[in-house]
Amino acid sequence: MTARTTKAHTRTFTQNARRAQIIQAAIETLAESGYTKASFSRISQQAELCSTGMISYHFSGKPELFAEAARVILEMAEKVAGIRMGDERTYRGKLSAYITSNFDFITRYPMHTQALTEIVKMIRDRQITGLEDVERSIMSVDRLADLLEQGCDAGEFGDFDCLTMALAIRGAIDAVLRRHLSQAAMDLDRCARELTVAFDRCTTPV
């Protein structure tokens, strides 16, 4: 039995540590070299492993490894958002916290942001199969739509379609992110303030 066939709850401390080391190396390789060059060989070198066999021992292939990398990054982003949103008592405050937490994560974890962007590009370019669920998780706006709906029910927001508004908010954040990563570094604090004000106006009851 290889480590990859072992259920998560039965893995040893050493196995989990090795998997974490490989996932971190995959994130670093994706961010530094792009997904087209993120081979097991490069990831193995980044992790300072003696061979790619160690990666194959712990992961069934690129889909599982990159899915785990995406999961780790999304959990980090949710933690950042959760802390900020948890400090707010109103839905308006939570929406502002959601927007600013995205920019906070980009600022604090640029390498992880770049790696997640590469994973999305990889999926969309259809260079690898088996990551469809990962794409849905990355692009999901369900929680944001739920937040907006709760705010509407509480009378803090106006009357609008919550899914459409959630997609608009997510799209605006992602547009800034793409420009920041691909063209020129932007003033992310200013972008966060601008979008916070813009969507506060958009969601205010008339």
Side-chain angles (χ1 to χ4, degrees):
M1 178 182 291
T2 63
R4 66 172 181 259
T5 62
T6 306
K7 298 294 183 183
H9 65 278
T10 60
R11 291 190 192 113
T12 66
F13 175 83
T14 301
Q15 288 172 334
N16 282 326
R18 181 66 79 188
R19 283 173 64 91
Q21 176 191 8
I22 294 169
I23 291 169
Q24 178 62 27
I27 292 171
E28 293 169 358
T29 304
L30 283 165
E32 293 173 5
S33 304
Y35 79 84
T36 59
K37 298 179 179 177
S39 63
F40 271 15
S41 178
R42 285 207 178 200
I43 295 169
S44 176
Q45 292 175 11
Q46 188 73 25
E48 299 183 348
L49 300 175
C50 58
S51 75
T52 60
M54 189 65 74
I55 300 177
S56 300
Y57 179 79
H58 287 278
F59 297 91
S60 58
K62 281 187 175 181
E64 184 187 2
L65 175 55
F66 293 145
E68 282 297 297
R71 182 189 60 76
V72 168
I73 297 168
L74 290 175
E75 285 184 354
M76 292 172 62
E78 288 182 4
K79 184 177 181 180
V80 171
I83 292 172
R84 278 183 172 266
M85 295 170 70
D87 290 336
E88 300 292 337
R89 294 183 177 276
T90 68
Y91 292 107
R92 305 195 72 77
K94 290 182 185 296
L95 176 58
S96 296
Y98 172 83
I99 295 172
T100 55
S101 70
N102 276 270
F103 290 94
D104 185 24
F105 183 82
I106 295 167
T107 301
R108 290 169 60 184
Y109 304 104
M111 179 181 70
H112 293 75
T113 303
Q114 183 68 55
L116 192 62
T117 302
E118 289 296 322
I119 292 173
V120 172
K121 288 166 60 178
M122 183 192 326
I123 296 170
R124 291 182 173 175
D125 291 347
R126 302 196 180 282
Q127 296 296 312
I128 188 168
T129 58
L131 291 173
E132 293 78 9
D133 289 343
V134 175
E135 182 182 25
R136 280 191 285 274
S137 295
I138 294 172
M139 305 308 296
S140 174
V141 295
D142 290 349
R143 292 181 62 184
L144 177 56
D146 288 344
L147 170 66
L148 294 170
E149 189 169 343
Q150 291 167 5
C152 287
D153 292 342
E156 293 187 26
F157 296 139
D159 183 20
F160 50 77
D161 182 80
C162 295
L163 177 59
T164 302
M165 184 63 75
L167 289 169
I169 295 169
R170 188 67 251 173
I173 294 170
D174 289 344
V176 173
L177 170 61
R178 284 195 297 273
R179 186 178 178 84
H180 176 71
L181 292 177
S182 63
Q183 297 183 23
M186 302 178 70
D187 183 341
L188 296 179
D189 286 339
R190 179 180 177 183
C191 293
R193 288 195 300 273
E194 293 286 346
L195 288 186
T196 298
V197 171
F199 283 106
D200 187 68
R201 290 173 178 166
C202 290
T203 56
T204 297
V206 178

XYZ file of all heavy atoms in Angstrom, residues 130-195:
501
model
N -9.448 16.179 -14.473
C -9.622 15.701 -13.110
C -9.655 16.808 -12.075
O -9.651 16.537 -10.881
N -9.666 18.081 -12.543
C -9.680 19.201 -11.614
C -10.972 20.011 -11.701
O -11.016 21.154 -11.252
C -8.475 20.121 -11.885
C -7.113 19.555 -11.534
C -6.004 20.497 -12.007
C -6.978 19.338 -10.030
N -12.004 19.414 -12.281
C -13.251 20.150 -12.479
C -13.850 20.615 -11.148
O -14.348 21.742 -11.037
C -14.250 19.277 -13.245
C -13.849 18.969 -14.692
C -12.785 17.872 -14.790
O -12.498 17.235 -13.751
O -12.244 17.666 -15.884
N -13.819 19.746 -10.137
C -14.359 20.127 -8.833
C -13.550 21.261 -8.211
O -14.090 22.118 -7.502
C -14.369 18.928 -7.882
C -15.420 17.893 -8.273
O -16.328 18.243 -9.054
O -15.314 16.753 -7.802
N -12.252 21.262 -8.487
C -11.391 22.324 -7.959
C -11.781 23.658 -8.572
O -11.876 24.679 -7.876
C -9.908 22.016 -8.266
C -9.025 23.177 -7.823
C -9.494 20.726 -7.585
N -12.031 23.662 -9.872
C -12.442 24.906 -10.541
C -13.737 25.435 -9.936
O -13.881 26.631 -9.684
C -12.627 24.672 -12.034
C -13.019 25.955 -12.777
C -13.237 25.713 -14.253
O -13.548 24.563 -14.623
O -13.116 26.673 -15.030
N -14.687 24.524 -9.682
C -15.961 24.960 -9.105
C -15.748 25.572 -7.715
O -16.387 26.564 -7.354
C -16.935 23.777 -9.024
C -17.609 23.466 -10.357
C -18.757 22.487 -10.184
N -18.278 21.127 -9.958
C -17.976 20.273 -10.946
N -18.142 20.641 -12.195
N -17.536 19.061 -10.677
N -14.833 24.990 -6.936
C -14.569 25.527 -5.594
C -13.929 26.907 -5.672
O -14.288 27.821 -4.917
C -13.634 24.574 -4.828
O -14.259 23.333 -4.600
N -12.982 27.059 -6.599
C -12.277 28.334 -6.716
C -13.220 29.437 -7.178
O -13.185 30.559 -6.672
C -11.088 28.201 -7.703
C -10.036 27.243 -7.137
C -10.463 29.567 -7.981
C -8.931 26.904 -8.119
N -14.090 29.109 -8.124
C -14.943 30.120 -8.737
C -16.278 30.296 -8.020
O -17.068 31.163 -8.384
C -15.206 29.748 -10.212
C -13.951 29.524 -11.036
S -12.761 30.888 -10.931
C -13.706 32.196 -11.681
N -16.533 29.491 -6.998
C -17.830 29.543 -6.327
C -18.078 30.898 -5.656
O -17.191 31.468 -5.018
C -17.907 28.435 -5.270
O -19.106 28.567 -4.535
N -19.303 31.400 -5.807
C -19.710 32.621 -5.107
C -20.903 32.316 -4.199
O -21.606 33.227 -3.766
C -20.077 33.746 -6.111
C -18.859 34.181 -6.904
C -21.215 33.301 -7.035
N -21.105 31.045 -3.910
C -22.273 30.644 -3.128
C -22.306 31.308 -1.752
O -23.347 31.808 -1.306
C -22.291 29.116 -2.958
C -22.597 28.403 -4.269
O -22.996 29.091 -5.233
O -22.418 27.181 -4.336
N -21.170 31.308 -1.067
C -21.147 31.879 0.283
C -21.381 33.386 0.249
O -22.040 33.940 1.119
C -19.817 31.564 0.965
C -19.648 30.080 1.271
C -18.345 29.798 1.968
N -18.265 30.481 3.259
C -17.194 30.456 4.025
N -16.128 29.794 3.639
N -17.180 31.101 5.166
N -20.827 34.030 -0.782
C -21.040 35.471 -0.919
C -22.511 35.762 -1.220
O -23.100 36.702 -0.666
C -20.146 36.025 -2.027
C -20.298 37.513 -2.342
C -20.077 38.369 -1.089
C -19.315 37.920 -3.441
N -23.108 34.954 -2.090
C -24.527 35.131 -2.410
C -25.386 34.911 -1.160
O -26.369 35.636 -0.940
C -24.938 34.162 -3.521
N -25.016 33.938 -0.333
C -25.750 33.697 0.919
C -25.662 34.910 1.845
O -26.645 35.297 2.486
C -25.196 32.461 1.629
C -25.566 31.165 0.917
O -26.486 31.191 0.079
O -24.924 30.141 1.205
N -24.463 35.486 1.918
C -24.264 36.672 2.757
C -25.161 37.820 2.279
O -25.814 38.505 3.086
C -22.801 37.103 2.720
C -22.481 38.462 3.365
C -22.730 38.415 4.863
C -21.041 38.866 3.078
N -25.206 38.022 0.973
C -26.030 39.096 0.422
C -27.514 38.838 0.694
O -28.261 39.762 1.028
C -25.775 39.219 -1.084
C -24.371 39.687 -1.479
C -24.170 39.540 -2.982
C -24.143 41.137 -1.050
N -27.907 37.585 0.559
C -29.311 37.246 0.796
C -29.692 37.491 2.255
O -30.773 38.021 2.547
C -29.558 35.782 0.428
C -31.025 35.401 0.426
C -31.257 34.038 -0.203
O -30.376 33.530 -0.904
O -32.350 33.479 0.013
N -28.805 37.126 3.152
C -29.067 37.357 4.574
C -29.158 38.859 4.865
O -29.990 39.307 5.660
C -27.969 36.713 5.422
C -27.996 35.193 5.384
C -26.737 34.565 5.967
O -25.871 35.252 6.492
N -26.626 33.250 5.857
N -28.290 39.629 4.197
C -28.323 41.076 4.382
C -29.594 41.693 3.835
O -30.138 42.637 4.420
N -30.071 41.151 2.714
C -31.348 41.626 2.150
C -32.497 41.320 3.098
O -33.361 42.172 3.357
C -31.592 40.962 0.794
S -30.536 41.565 -0.554
N -32.502 40.097 3.631
C -33.563 39.703 4.562
C -33.558 40.577 5.822
O -34.612 40.839 6.413
C -33.407 38.225 4.955
C -33.684 37.280 3.800
O -34.313 37.721 2.818
O -33.254 36.117 3.867
N -32.369 41.003 6.219
C -32.254 41.832 7.426
C -32.550 43.295 7.142
O -32.572 44.123 8.070
C -30.850 41.688 8.010
N -32.768 43.632 5.873
C -33.077 45.020 5.512
C -31.868 45.920 5.372
O -32.008 47.134 5.219
N -30.656 45.324 5.419
C -29.453 46.149 5.301
C -29.093 46.429 3.845
O -28.391 47.384 3.553
C -28.280 45.455 5.994
C -28.422 45.356 7.501
C -27.157 44.806 8.150
O -26.072 44.963 7.574
O -27.283 44.202 9.231
N -29.538 45.555 2.940
C -29.274 45.746 1.516
C -30.578 46.024 0.791
O -31.676 45.761 1.296
C -28.621 44.494 0.916
C -27.263 44.165 1.486
C -26.917 42.854 1.772
C -26.327 45.156 1.723
C -25.669 42.534 2.295
C -25.074 44.861 2.242
C -24.750 43.546 2.533
N -30.431 46.536 -0.430
C -31.591 46.817 -1.246
C -32.138 45.566 -1.905
O -31.779 44.436 -1.534
N -32.993 45.784 -2.893
C -33.635 44.676 -3.588
C -32.862 44.386 -4.881
O -32.892 45.187 -5.819
C -35.092 45.025 -3.904
C -35.831 43.865 -4.564
O -35.366 42.717 -4.424
O -36.850 44.116 -5.230
N -32.158 43.290 -4.913
C -31.412 42.902 -6.121
C -31.253 41.393 -6.141
O -31.510 40.711 -5.123
C -30.033 43.576 -6.171
C -29.227 43.423 -4.899
C -28.571 42.232 -4.603
C -29.120 44.471 -3.991
C -27.828 42.086 -3.446
C -28.376 44.326 -2.815
C -27.731 43.145 -2.553
N -30.856 40.887 -7.288
C -30.597 39.442 -7.395
C -29.237 39.142 -6.764
O -28.195 39.641 -7.231
C -30.607 39.009 -8.868
C -30.378 37.509 -9.003
O -31.344 36.768 -8.799
O -29.230 37.105 -9.282
N -29.246 38.354 -5.717
C -28.021 38.154 -4.929
C -26.940 37.407 -5.699
O -25.744 37.712 -5.552
C -28.362 37.424 -3.629
S -29.414 38.403 -2.532
N -27.332 36.432 -6.516
C -26.314 35.700 -7.274
C -25.643 36.611 -8.296
O -24.420 36.590 -8.441
C -26.949 34.494 -7.967
C -26.006 33.673 -8.859
C -24.824 33.144 -8.041
C -26.757 32.511 -9.518
N -26.436 37.419 -8.977
C -25.869 38.341 -9.960
C -24.928 39.332 -9.288
O -23.836 39.608 -9.790
C -26.991 39.104 -10.687
O -27.861 38.166 -11.309
C -26.415 40.029 -11.741
N -25.353 39.869 -8.134
C -24.495 40.822 -7.418
C -23.214 40.137 -6.939
O -22.125 40.724 -7.002
C -25.250 41.404 -6.222
C -24.481 42.485 -5.469
S -24.149 43.952 -6.484
C -25.794 44.705 -6.484
N -23.342 38.899 -6.463
C -22.148 38.173 -6.011
C -21.168 37.962 -7.162
O -19.951 38.104 -6.995
C -22.560 36.827 -5.413
N -21.690 37.621 -8.325
C -20.828 37.442 -9.492
C -20.163 38.749 -9.886
O -18.984 38.767 -10.301
C -21.643 36.887 -10.667
C -22.104 35.431 -10.526
C -23.124 35.094 -11.611
C -20.911 34.482 -10.620
N -20.896 39.865 -9.761
C -20.324 41.171 -10.098
C -19.189 41.532 -9.140
O -18.130 42.030 -9.558
C -21.417 42.237 -10.051
N -19.393 41.277 -7.859
C -18.356 41.579 -6.860
C -17.119 40.717 -7.104
O -15.993 41.200 -7.137
C -18.907 41.352 -5.435
C -20.026 42.350 -5.146
C -17.788 41.470 -4.408
C -20.813 42.037 -3.873
N -17.357 39.410 -7.274
C -16.238 38.486 -7.495
C -15.493 38.833 -8.786
O -14.272 38.792 -8.857
C -16.787 37.067 -7.574
C -15.767 35.964 -7.606
C -15.013 35.845 -6.311
N -13.638 36.286 -6.476
C -12.780 36.419 -5.481
N -13.149 36.156 -4.243
N -11.558 36.833 -5.695
N -16.269 39.188 -9.827
C -15.660 39.539 -11.102
C -14.797 40.779 -11.004
O -13.717 40.842 -11.613
N -15.249 41.773 -10.241
C -14.470 43.006 -10.078
C -13.162 42.721 -9.346
O -12.094 43.241 -9.720
C -15.300 44.033 -9.313
N -13.236 41.910 -8.302
C -12.019 41.561 -7.550
C -11.043 40.808 -8.457
O -9.843 41.101 -8.492
C -12.378 40.712 -6.315
C -13.194 41.537 -5.321
C -11.116 40.163 -5.654
C -13.788 40.720 -4.184
N -11.560 39.832 -9.195
C -10.698 39.024 -10.064
C -10.089 39.860 -11.186
O -8.953 39.608 -11.615
C -11.494 37.852 -10.652
C -11.821 36.794 -9.606
O -11.190 36.813 -8.526
O -12.703 35.954 -9.865
N -10.820 40.858 -11.688
C -10.291 41.711 -12.755
C -9.087 42.506 -12.258
O -8.076 42.640 -12.965
C -11.381 42.649 -13.263
N -9.198 43.030 -11.045
C -8.061 43.760 -10.468
C -6.887 42.812 -10.263
O -5.728 43.146 -10.556
C -8.462 44.407 -9.118
C -7.228 45.015 -8.445
C -9.522 45.471 -9.332
N -7.193 41.617 -9.774
C -6.140 40.633 -9.524
C -5.394 40.289 -10.820
O -4.158 40.254 -10.836
C -6.755 39.373 -8.921
C -5.851 38.150 -8.815
C -4.644 38.449 -7.932
C -6.627 36.956 -8.266
N -6.148 40.032 -11.888
C -5.491 39.666 -13.164
C -4.586 40.792 -13.649
O -3.483 40.537 -14.109
C -6.558 39.348 -14.218
C -7.219 37.995 -14.048
C -7.987 37.595 -15.307
N -9.077 38.529 -15.579
C -10.284 38.404 -15.049
N -10.564 37.399 -14.250
N -11.230 39.281 -15.335
N -5.052 42.019 -13.558
C -4.228 43.147 -14.001
C -2.992 43.303 -13.115
O -1.899 43.571 -13.585
C -5.052 44.431 -13.981
C -4.318 45.631 -14.565
C -5.201 46.872 -14.576
N -4.497 48.030 -15.089
C -4.370 48.333 -16.371
N -4.921 47.564 -17.271
N -3.695 49.406 -16.763
N -3.196 43.128 -11.824
C -2.087 43.252 -10.869
C -0.996 42.215 -11.149
O 0.200 42.520 -11.096
C -2.622 43.082 -9.450
C -1.563 43.102 -8.384
N -0.880 44.254 -8.031
C -1.052 42.097 -7.613
C -0.013 43.968 -7.079
N -0.090 42.672 -6.798
N -1.404 41.005 -11.466
C -0.439 39.917 -11.659
C 0.186 39.908 -13.049
O 1.345 39.499 -13.216
C -1.120 38.566 -11.417
C -1.554 38.262 -9.986
C -2.281 36.928 -9.925
C -0.362 38.257 -9.039
N -0.560 40.359 -14.064
C -0.078 40.192 -15.434
C 0.482 41.448 -16.077
O 1.283 41.361 -17.006
C -1.212 39.665 -16.317
O -2.269 40.609 -16.385
N 0.068 42.611 -15.602
C 0.495 43.823 -16.293
C 1.342 44.737 -15.416
O 2.476 45.053 -15.738
C -0.737 44.591 -16.801
C -1.525 43.801 -17.830
C -2.690 44.605 -18.380
O -2.702 45.826 -18.353
N -3.699 43.904 -18.886
N 0.808 45.173 -14.337
C 1.552 46.094 -13.485
C 1.019 46.030 -12.069
O -0.180 45.860 -11.859
C 1.408 47.519 -14.020
N 1.956 46.156 -11.133
C 1.539 46.153 -9.742
C 0.625 47.343 -9.491
O 0.892 48.453 -9.939
C 2.764 46.222 -8.843
N -0.457 47.109 -8.785
C -1.430 48.160 -8.516
C -1.454 48.482 -7.031
O -0.970 47.703 -6.203
C -2.814 47.708 -8.996
C -2.865 47.365 -10.473
S -4.485 46.780 -10.997
C -5.451 48.300 -10.863
N -2.001 49.638 -6.711
C -2.176 50.029 -5.320
C -3.383 49.249 -4.788
O -4.532 49.678 -4.929
C -2.417 51.541 -5.221
C -2.525 52.014 -3.781
O -2.768 51.177 -2.885
O -2.383 53.228 -3.547
N -3.124 48.112 -4.175
C -4.211 47.224 -3.768
C -5.057 47.807 -2.644
O -6.260 47.543 -2.571
C -3.647 45.861 -3.372
C -2.967 45.073 -4.503
C -2.428 43.750 -3.979
C -3.940 44.828 -5.647
N -4.435 48.598 -1.765
C -5.218 49.229 -0.695
C -6.249 50.183 -1.303
O -7.401 50.226 -0.867
C -4.293 49.998 0.261
C -3.500 49.061 1.151
O -3.927 47.906 1.319
O -2.448 49.488 1.665
N -5.805 50.943 -2.302
C -6.725 51.872 -2.954
C -7.822 51.099 -3.697
O -9.004 51.481 -3.645
C -5.972 52.769 -3.937
C -6.880 53.743 -4.668
C -6.107 54.610 -5.640
N -7.001 55.486 -6.381
C -6.596 56.308 -7.329
N -5.306 56.364 -7.657
N -7.473 57.067 -7.965
N -7.431 50.034 -4.382
C -8.424 49.219 -5.104
C -9.465 48.664 -4.140
O -10.667 48.655 -4.444
C -7.731 48.070 -5.835
S -6.665 48.587 -7.200
N -9.009 48.195 -2.985
C -9.941 47.651 -1.991
C -10.914 48.727 -1.530
O -12.119 48.477 -1.410
C -9.151 47.096 -0.808
N -10.395 49.921 -1.278
C -11.268 51.017 -0.826
C -12.282 51.383 -1.909
O -13.468 51.589 -1.619
C -10.427 52.240 -0.451
C -9.626 52.097 0.832
C -9.118 53.451 1.307
N -8.254 54.108 0.332
C -6.945 53.906 0.244
N -6.333 53.077 1.087
N -6.211 54.541 -0.652
N -11.802 51.475 -3.154
C -12.684 51.872 -4.252
C -13.820 50.858 -4.446
O -14.986 51.235 -4.612
C -11.882 52.004 -5.551
C -10.889 53.145 -5.563
C -11.566 54.504 -5.701
O -12.750 54.533 -6.054
O -10.896 55.521 -5.427
N -13.467 49.584 -4.438
C -14.498 48.566 -4.648
C -15.446 48.478 -3.451
O -16.648 48.240 -3.622
C -13.853 47.198 -4.906
C -13.160 47.027 -6.261
C -12.683 45.586 -6.441
C -14.099 47.395 -7.406
